[in-house]
Amino acid sequence: MTMIMSSTIEQEEKIKSLSTYLSHHVFPRYIDSTMADVIKVEKFFHIEDETLAYVESLKDASRVITALNTIVSILETAHISSSYEELFTESVNTLRSYQIDFPFPLSFFHERKHAEFL
């Protein structure tokens, strides 16, 4: 008999927190003001409660948190190198396996000049 522990409320809150951080603090640094007037950056990446239904176990939640943390770490580096491509893609694919769509490829961040991270 196999026992599976479901994800905790704290893990789900962490996932939502990382999603919000990406939308409000990371993405705006890569989108210029003219583009930001046309689109709402916060709407690009938001994880709904319905989506979290696909994150069923402690292991699932840990994988999603790790993937989000990896993406944040890559996007907050001073110079985004193409050597991060495989790790970034793997993280995006992990999110997709839980029905979480990440809106941009790594090339989007290569092509955009970003503001300095404080």
Side-chain angles (χ1 to χ4, degrees):
M1 181 162 108
T2 302
M3 196 176 227
I4 298 176
M5 300 290 291
S6 66
S7 61
T8 65
I9 293 170
E10 291 82 5
Q11 285 177 310
E12 291 177 3
E13 290 302 317
K14 180 66 175 177
I15 291 168
K16 289 179 187 177
S17 171
L18 286 166
S19 164
T20 300
Y21 182 80
L22 275 162
S23 292
H24 289 106
H25 300 287
V26 177
F27 292 163
R29 294 179 176 157
Y30 290 94
I31 297 175
D32 63 28
S33 59
T34 57
M35 192 173 169
D37 289 341
V38 177
I39 55 171
K40 291 287 182 204
V41 178
E42 308 85 50
K43 303 295 181 191
F44 273 129
F45 187 67
H46 181 73
I47 299 174
E48 303 286 338
D49 288 333
E50 296 81 29
T51 305
L52 287 174
Y54 294 98
V55 182
E56 298 174 337
S57 69
L58 289 171
K59 180 181 178 183
D60 294 341
S62 294
R63 290 187 71 214
V64 170
I65 290 168
T66 299
L68 290 170
N69 276 324
T70 300
I71 290 169
V72 168
S73 294
I74 290 170
L75 298 181
E76 288 187 333
T77 60
H79 175 71
I80 298 176
S81 167
S82 59
S83 64
Y84 295 126
E85 184 76 41
E86 185 177 339
L87 188 57
F88 184 88
T89 301
E90 182 181 325
S91 296
V92 169
N93 288 337
T94 296
L95 295 178
R96 285 187 183 139
S97 72
Y98 295 102
Q99 307 304 310
I100 301 169
D101 277 331
F102 190 81
F104 303 110
L106 187 59
S107 61
F108 174 86
F109 302 101
H110 284 291
E111 297 165 5
R112 305 275 187 249
K113 182 174 181 181
H114 71 284
E116 290 298 315
F117 285 86
L118 302 174

